[in-house]
Amino acid sequence: MGFRKDFLWGGASAAHQFEGAWDVDGKGVSIADVMTAGDNVTHTPRRITDGVLEGEDYPNHVGIDFFHTYKEDIALFAEMGMKSFRTSIAWTRIFPNADDAEPNEAGLQFYDDLFDECHKYHIEPIVTLSHFEMPYHLAKEYGGFMNRKAIDFFVKFATACFKRYKDKVKYWMTFNEINNQADYIPHHLAQEGAILPKEGDDLEYMMYQSAHYELVASALAVKAAHEINPDMLVACMIGMNPVYPATCKPEDNMQAMMTMNFKYWFADVHVRGKYPSWLLKLFERRGWNMDITEEDNKALLAGTVDYIAFSYYMSFATEAKAENPHYEYRPGKDFVRNEYLKASDWGWQIDGLGLRFCLNWFNDRFGLPMLIVENGFGAYDKVEADGSIHDDYRIEYLKAHIEAMKGAVEDEGVDLLGYQMWAPIDIVSASTGEYDKRYGLIYVDMNNAGEGTWARSKKKSFYWYKKVIETNGEDLANE
């Protein structure tokens, strides 16, 4: 009744957040490389600069130097008992500018070596093709995924990876958290679609049009993967945060349902290969002349995914407003505080049971196998005088979420392939660019001020997760 015997217990990260070596061995500049550091204390947001500028602080340039320490770090993952490791391939290591004629051999070789090191310890690599690290050249010179040419660039990149690693990587994802851009705010559009909006641009239209090109690119990549090696499995990757109604009012329930539709329609297209009717009505209501061709529709239908991968960190609540008669999702306007939940230092509401909600929502809607590829707790960690780190708050967070997914497997029968907690080692936060926002079970001695030795040490959660994996999720006690 518990988790499957081959359950993929592991951890997840992203190339731009931990590899560093941003300009080594021919790597090009990515969107992440032009994002400055932010700060939760001063509430300083990250900025996207016009290229790499002297005097700016770009934490992704260094990450935690995993590019040079991956052997030591993977050995620590193996000591923890990890059976899988989700990472991403930096597009700009393979095609530095996106429009390069040939892939960069040095970049391809790095991932060969990385995956070989994983297999040395019987760790299954799980790979995301595009994780917030699209080529800056693609954004600057082509307009990112507002340009149909970006489809061909992505498919070329994906195909090169599938061919090179067809015998080393079984589990793939195309675009990380592709639906984050549903908020159509500039930095999400830049991260997910390599779009650099100008003042006066219609951000909502740009989001839907660029997302369409991404979805076509994803579908064509899925088709290519199946042709190269039919045993490879390719998923969509959805940033999943369920939306509850604020009250029992029918209007609030309708608002919650439609907000879920607006935020997660990307999964409908990935899995079913076609647009939902309500979204086509939205395009009509807006009067947009969307560039969606008959060939695109055929590609979407032919390139549906094999499984659903998703991240889960928090849930939201919403209430209906009289000025919103169509119950549309309006970013930043209709969410309300859920008084039943506590929140992290970064304001993220903590809701373990929400993960069970997500698993059932996906299962009832699509019926595909699922893989949780991100779930973790960002917090300030304190190093004691003896070097120990007692992160019981992280253990309690992970424990509550593993209990929730266990309930979904045992009581509702969801088909869950594995669990990739975020992250096995401290990294640069994607949202704030901070080192001090720590997710890892392995501590990295570096802070926001650039002070530290880069030394790795094991937190209390390291030993707890090792026990969880050893018992296949049966022993969750925090002792």
Side-chain angles (χ1 to χ4, degrees), residues 24-27 67 70 89-96 102-116 129 156-166 168 172:
V24 171
D25 287 346
K27 180 185 176 297
F67 183 87
Y70 72 89
I89 293 176
W91 188 341
T92 53
R93 286 203 194 282
I94 312 304
F95 289 96
E102 298 295 332
N104 173 30
E105 176 58 31
L108 289 167
Q109 186 60 51
F110 169 71
Y111 293 106
D112 262 322
D113 297 340
L114 173 58
F115 300 148
D116 287 345
L129 286 165
K156 184 177 182 179
F157 160 59
T159 302
C161 293
F162 293 147
K163 287 181 176 178
R164 181 72 170 229
Y165 311 119
K166 62 184 174 63
K168 296 184 179 183
W172 297 84

Side-chain angles (χ1 to χ4, degrees), residues 132 176-190 192-193 203-208 210-211 214 238-239 241 243 258-267 278-279 282 286 288 316 328-332 335:
F132 303 166
N176 180 73
E177 293 182 336
I178 187 173
N179 61 306
N180 278 5
Q181 58 196 306
D183 295 330
Y184 52 90
I185 56 179
H187 79 270
H188 281 165
L189 290 172
E192 277 98 60
L203 300 186
E204 185 186 23
Y205 163 73
M206 292 177 74
M207 182 274 287
Y208 282 110
S210 63
E214 285 179 87
I238 302 296
N241 303 297
V243 182
M258 287 305 298
T259 300
M260 290 285 286
N261 283 346
F262 270 81
K263 289 181 71 65
Y264 306 117
W265 64 268
F266 301 79
W278 68 264
L279 187 52
L282 176 76
R286 291 288 192 270
W288 292 332
F316 297 115
E328 294 180 5
Y329 170 56
R330 303 181 302 170
F335 282 156

Side-chain angles (χ1 to χ4, degrees), residues 48-64:
I48 297 172
T49 59
D50 187 10
V52 176
L53 306 180
E54 188 175 349
E56 293 282 5
D57 181 8
Y58 301 106
N60 299 72
H61 287 191
V62 180
I64 59 167

Side-chain angles (χ1 to χ4, degrees), residues 315-373:
S315 61
F316 297 115
T318 189
E319 63 181 5
K321 302 285 180 61
E323 71 271 17
N324 186 19
H326 297 290
Y327 300 99
E328 294 180 5
Y329 170 56
R330 303 181 302 170
K333 292 185 178 181
D334 302 311
F335 282 156
V336 295
R337 177 97 177 99
N338 189 334
E339 299 300 330
Y340 294 96
L341 300 175
K342 296 179 181 179
S344 73
D345 289 330
W346 280 263
W348 292 21
Q349 296 185 143
I350 302 169
D351 178 14
L353 194 59
L355 179 55
R356 187 166 174 175
F357 180 102
C358 296
L359 287 164
N360 277 282
W361 189 86
F362 279 126
N363 191 53
D364 293 345
R365 198 175 184 99
F366 303 120
L368 285 182
M370 286 171 278
L371 182 61
I372 299 166
V373 293

Side-chain angles (χ1 to χ4, degrees), residues 12-203:
S13 188
H16 71 97
Q17 290 174 257
F18 75 147
E19 279 184 7
W22 73 285
D23 59 352
V24 171
D25 287 346
K27 180 185 176 297
V29 178
S30 76
I31 285 290
D33 292 327
V34 296
M35 293 188 69
T36 64
D39 190 309
N40 185 53
V41 176
T42 62
H43 301 291
T44 302
R46 303 193 78 175
R47 293 178 293 109
I48 297 172
T49 59
D50 187 10
V52 176
L53 306 180
E54 188 175 349
E56 293 282 5
D57 181 8
Y58 301 106
N60 299 72
H61 287 191
V62 180
I64 59 167
D65 199 31
F66 180 81
F67 183 87
H68 295 110
T69 65
Y70 72 89
K71 290 185 178 181
E72 295 84 352
D73 292 336
I74 290 173
L76 284 169
F77 299 167
E79 183 183 339
M80 204 189 314
M82 282 172 46
K83 300 180 183 299
S84 54
F85 173 46
R86 180 207 171 199
T87 188
S88 62
I89 293 176
W91 188 341
T92 53
R93 286 203 194 282
I94 312 304
F95 289 96
N97 300 296
D99 60 359
D100 311 83
E102 298 295 332
N104 173 30
E105 176 58 31
L108 289 167
Q109 186 60 51
F110 169 71
Y111 293 106
D112 262 322
D113 297 340
L114 173 58
F115 300 148
D116 287 345
E117 196 68 18
C118 288
H119 285 297
K120 172 181 167 183
Y121 295 101
H122 307 290
I123 295 174
E124 184 84 40
I126 299 171
V127 176
T128 314
L129 286 165
S130 179
H131 193 139
F132 303 166
E133 51 212 349
M134 296 186 192
Y136 180 68
H137 180 78
L138 176 62
K140 188 73 174 175
E141 300 301 323
Y142 291 90
F145 270 92
M146 278 303 290
N147 190 327
R148 183 175 276 276
K149 291 180 180 178
I151 296 174
D152 294 333
F153 295 147
F154 178 80
V155 174
K156 184 177 182 179
F157 160 59
T159 302
C161 293
F162 293 147
K163 287 181 176 178
R164 181 72 170 229
Y165 311 119
K166 62 184 174 63
D167 298 319
K168 296 184 179 183
V169 178
K170 177 179 179 180
Y171 297 97
W172 297 84
M173 286 160 273
T174 51
F175 293 93
N176 180 73
E177 293 182 336
I178 187 173
N179 61 306
N180 278 5
Q181 58 196 306
D183 295 330
Y184 52 90
I185 56 179
H187 79 270
H188 281 165
L189 290 172
Q191 288 177 321
E192 277 98 60
I195 300 169
L196 304 174
K198 303 183 296 294
E199 188 174 348
D201 282 344
D202 184 343
L203 300 186

